[in-house]
Amino acid sequence: MSQRKDISYSGYLQLDKILQAQQPLSTAHDEMLFVIQHQTSELWMKLAIHELTATCRLIAADDLQPAFKTLARVSRILEQLNSAWDVLRTMTPSEYTEFRGLLGQSSGFQSWQYRVIEFLVGNKNAAMIHAHQDDKAVVERLEAVRLAPSIYDLTIQLLHRRGLGIDKATLERDISVPHLPNDSVLNAWSSVYRDPTRYWELYELAEKLVDFEDYFRRWRFNHVTTVERIIGFKRGTGGSSGVSYLRKMLDVVLFPELWQVRTQL
């Protein structure tokens, strides 16, 4: 940058655009917090998508060492997203009601980047695309991710390539829907965990995936408690059932056999 006189810190980061992007609809003091918390979360999600996409590509290519780095980074990103809830929770119900009515039908439920993350890690629900039906480009992107193998689909294929027999039905299943627990996958992970020295790369990949899901579960839990703390059991601004829907999401398991194997060992 010292050699490029035309580039400044502000210009490189396009701070003029970023810092002008906060346009509260009211004079309520806490609306600025609400806007910035969601904007920064979307930026972190953009980076998470960047890293998860790279991870999928690396696993597909049997290049696991750099995949460990990208997965670890995504877990740290989720840690940042978890910390953001702590800041938002400083807003009380009284303060939120000062501007909530101005939000119309806008809702975090409509975050297409969050939906991309869900699809990349295997929680694929085609009905969720309906919320974006007015944006053709977003619909096309979501459909492309839904129809592509998730990070866990690619991991299961890797297990098979490494000689840990996965049954044919699982390898040829419809990858546009969520993976369901499978005995052959559980047995493969059992072999890995019973002999980690022999399967060290797969063992490390397994733990990195568990780390990711652990942080993702915390993110969901913090989302539920934050929403309940601020609006109770009111319906969400976009028409979702609010806390009731979010609590159901706590039961979603992304990598079931990696949790089941702990009981089996």
Side-chain angles (χ1 to χ4, degrees), residues 26-34 87-101 103 229-231:
S26 74
T27 58
H29 177 80
D30 283 67
E31 191 179 355
M32 183 64 78
L33 161 63
F34 188 81
V87 182
L88 190 62
R89 279 197 286 265
T90 64
M91 182 173 63
T92 67
S94 301
E95 290 160 345
Y96 185 42
T97 55
E98 290 182 36
F99 63 89
R100 186 180 190 235
L103 301 179
R229 176 170 176 162
I230 295 175
I231 68 168

Side-chain angles (χ1 to χ4, degrees), residues 133-176:
Q133 61 182 335
D134 295 329
D135 192 327
K136 182 180 178 182
V138 167
V139 169
E140 289 177 353
R141 180 165 184 181
L142 288 172
E143 274 296 320
V145 179
R146 187 177 72 87
L147 297 175
S150 72
I151 193 171
Y152 199 49
D153 292 323
L154 293 167
T155 297
I156 291 171
Q157 292 169 17
L158 174 67
L159 291 172
H160 187 68
R161 291 197 301 274
R162 295 287 179 98
L164 294 161
I166 304 299
D167 64 44
K168 184 178 179 181
T170 299
L171 293 171
E172 297 178 354
R173 77 175 192 86
D174 179 3
I175 58 174
S176 69

Side-chain angles (χ1 to χ4, degrees), residues 2-249:
S2 63
Q3 296 175 356
R4 290 289 304 274
K5 303 300 183 183
D6 57 324
I7 295 182
S8 67
Y9 174 82
S10 179
Y12 176 67
L13 297 176
Q14 299 191 54
L15 290 182
D16 287 347
K17 292 181 180 178
I18 294 173
L19 298 179
Q20 290 298 316
Q22 296 75 46
Q23 301 294 329
L25 301 176
S26 74
T27 58
H29 177 80
D30 283 67
E31 191 179 355
M32 183 64 78
L33 161 63
F34 188 81
V35 170
I36 289 178
Q37 192 271 341
H38 286 84
Q39 287 181 338
T40 53
S41 292
E42 289 291 334
L43 285 172
W44 283 120
M45 283 191 277
K46 182 174 183 176
L47 182 57
I49 291 168
H50 178 71
E51 301 296 343
L52 285 170
T53 301
T55 303
C56 287
R57 184 172 63 250
L58 291 164
I59 292 174
D62 277 30
D63 193 5
L64 297 190
Q65 295 298 321
F68 300 152
K69 174 65 177 291
T70 52
L71 270 173
R73 182 173 290 166
V74 175
S75 291
R76 301 290 84 75
I77 291 168
L78 286 168
E79 189 172 15
Q80 292 293 322
L81 287 167
N82 273 315
S83 296
W85 293 124
D86 292 337
V87 182
L88 190 62
R89 279 197 286 265
T90 64
M91 182 173 63
T92 67
S94 301
E95 290 160 345
Y96 185 42
T97 55
E98 290 182 36
F99 63 89
R100 186 180 190 235
L102 299 174
L103 301 179
Q105 293 300 305
S106 65
S107 168
F109 195 71
Q110 299 159 348
S111 170
W112 66 266
Q113 288 201 123
Y114 174 74
R115 199 59 55 196
V116 168
I117 292 172
E118 288 271 14
F119 285 6
L120 280 169
V121 299
N123 187 26
K124 300 178 178 181
N125 183 347
M128 295 294 102
I129 299 177
H130 181 73
H132 310 282
Q133 61 182 335
D134 295 329
D135 192 327
K136 182 180 178 182
V138 167
V139 169
E140 289 177 353
R141 180 165 184 181
L142 288 172
E143 274 296 320
V145 179
R146 187 177 72 87
L147 297 175
S150 72
I151 193 171
Y152 199 49
D153 292 323
L154 293 167
T155 297
I156 291 171
Q157 292 169 17
L158 174 67
L159 291 172
H160 187 68
R161 291 197 301 274
R162 295 287 179 98
L164 294 161
I166 304 299
D167 64 44
K168 184 178 179 181
T170 299
L171 293 171
E172 297 178 354
R173 77 175 192 86
D174 179 3
I175 58 174
S176 69
V177 298
H179 166 80
L180 296 176
N182 174 268
D183 286 343
S184 68
V185 177
L186 177 59
N187 291 336
W189 285 127
S190 181
S191 297
V192 169
Y193 274 87
R194 291 181 190 280
D195 194 354
T197 303
R198 179 182 177 185
Y199 299 108
W200 187 262
E201 279 199 326
L202 295 175
Y203 179 67
E204 189 167 357
L205 176 59
E207 286 299 291
K208 288 290 189 292
L209 290 171
V210 170
D211 274 347
F212 168 83
E213 184 160 4
D214 193 351
Y215 277 102
F216 202 33
R217 287 180 175 184
R218 294 184 215 178
W219 189 89
R220 284 173 168 161
F221 179 77
N222 279 323
H223 191 181
V224 172
T225 55
T226 301
V227 171
E228 185 173 355
R229 176 170 176 162
I230 295 175
I231 68 168
F233 284 83
K234 294 187 183 73
R235 293 189 66 82
T237 49
S240 73
S241 58
V243 169
S244 297
Y245 168 77
L246 295 173
R247 281 188 172 176
K248 290 179 183 178
M249 296 302 293

